[in-house]
Amino acid sequence: MLTVERAGAALERCWSHVLATLADLSPEQLSLRTRCPGWDVAALVLHLTWGVSMEADALRRGRTGAPGRAEGRTPSSHDPNVLRAALRSGVDELLSEVRTVPAGGEDRTLPLPYGDVPTALALQLFVMEAGLHTDDLACALGQEEDLDEDVVDATASALGVVLPAMAAATEARPSAGTVLAVTGPSLDLRVALDGDRWVAAGSADPTGVVTARDDSTALRFVLGRVGPHDPGLTVRGDGRVASEFNRWFPGP
């Protein structure tokens, strides 16, 4: 897992890049489609604003002991200036709260909307979201690049929790005992279906393997950003690992 310091640096870099990119966008570019179904760039920015403000509120509640679940804010207008200002405000709040996390405070729980999560894990989730959606924006604008190393590290750490949660959104399952692996140069994610429940598979022999030419492509596949026929992927064993993966694990 990333340390608080590395997570804070990753969040600041990702969100600074997003804000700088949005500063130069025209209203027409805000209407560009993203790879997230049904979302244009403006809808993505609305989601980002809710996300960073929710994350800041979670850290604030964890720090102060305020009751209730973390809540996010969503601008009511698609006006470009309103969107940019709202996102910048949420980013500033988030980065300010991350800077207050004390050394040794990683075990403190945060009241996220879906449950209490240790700060250490929450920070990995926050970096995953920042990196993934920075990538979504870049892709919409034709500027996609490899994910940064700290984003890869945080996302790989978070997926141990995220994958079972993603699977809970659907009843689609392969046969019990299926072991899936998605690998990249430094990535090896394995999950197994134990009865009706997905669990980390450790070093178990996989039923099928999706191998990516780079870690960025591997994570984009796991999170539903590229499909099974992406030229950066190869499949061994049971081909359903590729063709059915995003049905078994609907991406966020």
Side-chain angles (χ1 to χ4, degrees):
M1 285 192 176
L2 300 187
T3 63
V4 173
E5 183 177 6
R6 282 191 73 203
L11 290 169
E12 184 164 6
R13 185 188 66 252
C14 288
W15 292 124
S16 294
H17 179 73
V18 167
L19 290 169
T21 300
L22 291 175
D24 296 327
L25 291 192
S26 66
E28 292 74 22
Q29 287 174 305
L30 286 170
S31 298
L32 291 172
R33 307 306 298 175
T34 73
R35 59 192 178 190
C36 303
W39 284 6
D40 58 12
V41 170
L44 176 62
V45 176
L46 289 173
H47 173 74
L48 300 183
T49 302
W50 180 88
V52 293
S53 59
M54 181 278 292
E55 292 165 3
D57 188 44
L59 287 163
R60 179 186 65 81
R61 291 174 190 267
R63 174 174 56 83
T64 64
R69 294 278 161 207
E71 299 178 348
R73 303 186 303 273
T74 302
S76 58
S77 170
H78 281 213
D79 178 271
N81 292 326
V82 172
L83 291 176
R84 293 182 185 108
L87 181 58
R88 180 173 295 280
S89 176
V91 167
D92 288 345
E93 291 175 17
L94 173 60
L95 296 180
S96 177
E97 285 293 342
V98 171
R99 294 185 192 107
T100 70
V101 177
E106 296 93 333
D107 292 334
R108 184 173 61 195
T109 59
L110 303 184
L112 297 182
Y114 41 81
D116 292 339
V117 176
T119 299
L121 174 57
L123 289 173
Q124 314 312 302
L125 293 168
F126 297 171
V127 172
M128 181 181 79
E129 287 282 314
L132 181 64
H133 289 315
T134 299
D135 195 51
D136 289 333
L137 177 61
C139 180
L141 300 174
Q143 302 170 356
E144 189 175 73
E145 298 181 355
D146 286 346
L147 300 174
D148 290 318
E149 181 181 356
D150 47 14
V151 171
V152 171
D153 291 345
T155 304
S157 295
L159 281 173
V161 173
V162 170
L163 281 175
M166 289 162 58
T170 177
E171 295 182 358
R173 297 283 191 278
S175 57
T178 297
V179 179
L180 313 180
V182 180
T183 67
S186 65
L187 199 68
D188 190 337
L189 299 172
R190 301 187 186 213
V191 290
L193 189 61
D194 181 9
D196 194 45
R197 186 170 60 95
W198 288 101
V199 296
S203 59
D205 290 336
T207 308
V209 182
V210 176
T211 300
R213 66 188 173 193
D214 55 68
D215 293 332
S216 297
T217 301
L219 293 176
R220 289 175 184 134
F221 169 74
V222 171
L223 294 168
R225 267 50 182 187
V226 301
H229 302 298
D230 187 274
L233 300 173
T234 58
V235 182
R236 292 186 290 108
D238 189 343
R240 292 180 307 157
V241 173
S243 63
E244 300 292 311
F245 189 93
N246 293 130
R247 191 167 72 92
W248 296 332
F249 302 95

